């Protein structure tokens, strides 16, 4: 999984039917110091992560096998809301 | 998914049969400020995104499981036309 | 597989059910001289690698087929604890 | 798919049986202005693209499902010979 | 596939059972002029490539479907020993 921050959302009327009913979020990969990296994904939200919050995304074939995306044609899914990052001292 | 802008198309006569009948578009990954990144994909269009418009592409095994690419041998598919990007203030 | 160093862990209460019961570690890809690269993954641990130790991660569909992650929806798994790296002289 | 230029070939005697009978080409990813990028793949040719010509490669699991690579263990396949790139004015 | 050079090996006692019995090599991606890139993989050897020699690696789901890795949980496999690279003049 990749550590990401939710920075916005995407509105789309014409889309593949697999995306219907999902909130489509724009997420930015972040460094361990939480600074943003120049790497973005558009991911569906399955756990209720709010804008500005941290989450984990699964990509590739894994993204379409979560509790809420089973059988859906999705290649990036937010699979966890991050409460805390514990860095080694 | 990745946020992309359609910048052109590709003409190909000799190609794998899976690509027959699809419009093959050249798309550029864009930043959240919509500036172009130096990262390009060649993707089939399934939603009717015009040149200069924004879309979302799915890549990898997901690309061949959309409404229109089921069973097709395609690794990059435009799965949504983007109406609006909503960035957190 | 990729050579990584465990640098911390992630605490998450709200997450996909596939992640339940796993220790979720933050790992950093390392160079062959063991210096850290600016590339991080969040991976589940299946072999008991401690913080600061070296391991190997499998990513993509492979990550969900290890002894302990079979059928789990996980895209990055630590599959080995590295004892020693033997570089050609 | 990725836009590539054929720049050479690879000779291999000892190889996985899936690669037997295929021409193994060295391809370079190119920019939309056709300048070469520092990104190379080794791909099997299924459409007859000559050296110096442009093609499209499919990668990942898609690469082993083309007309000629079905069931073969190949992760990069040339799936189209590019006649023309049409860029938006 | 990617063109790589074998630069060492990895010793691991505690590992996923899929890795048992394989030689685990450290490989470096190389440019077409054979200079090393800052990109490394840890791959199992199925063709007997020695240290300092060139090979091709398959990654992702392809890596676990070679003659010797069928059903094994491996995401990077050396599938060919390279005899010669033929660059276009």
């Amino acid at each position: 999984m990749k550590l990401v921050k939710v920075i916005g959302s995407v509105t789309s009327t014409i889309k593949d039917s697999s995306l219907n009913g999902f909130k489509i979020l724009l997420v930015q990969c972040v460094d361990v110091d939480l600074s943003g990296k120049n790497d973005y994904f558009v991911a569906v939200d399955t756990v209720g992560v709010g804008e500005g919050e941290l989450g984990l995304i699964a990509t590739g074939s894994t993204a379409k096998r979560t509790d809420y995306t089973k059988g859906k044609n999705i290649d990036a899914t937010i699979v966890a809301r991050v409460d805390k990052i514990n860095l080694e001292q």
Side-chain angles (χ1 to χ4, degrees), chain A:
Chain A
M1 285 75 67
K2 287 281 185 183
L3 187 63
V4 299
K5 187 179 180 176
V6 177
I7 60 167
S9 62
V10 169
T11 308
S12 170
T13 309
I14 304 172
K15 53 181 185 267
D16 191 74
S17 63
S18 273
L19 293 169
N20 287 340
F22 286 109
K23 187 156 194 191
I24 304 173
L25 297 182
L26 188 58
V27 301
Q28 181 177 25
C29 292
V30 293
D31 235 317
V32 286
D33 64 359
L34 305 188
S35 63
K37 302 179 79 164
N38 188 21
D39 195 9
Y40 303 89
F41 284 90
V42 176
V44 303
D45 183 22
T46 66
V47 291
V49 179
E51 298 207 356
E53 291 185 328
L54 292 175
L56 301 180
I57 59 166
T59 58
S61 61
T62 307
K64 54 179 166 282
R65 291 184 182 123
T66 70
D67 297 341
Y68 296 95
T69 61
K70 280 201 178 80
K72 300 286 179 184
N73 187 46
I74 288 164
D75 71 355
T77 302
I78 301 179
V79 294
R81 186 178 169 283
V82 171
D83 300 327
K84 196 177 158 204
I85 297 171
N86 318 289
L87 286 180
E88 185 188 19
Q89 297 310 320

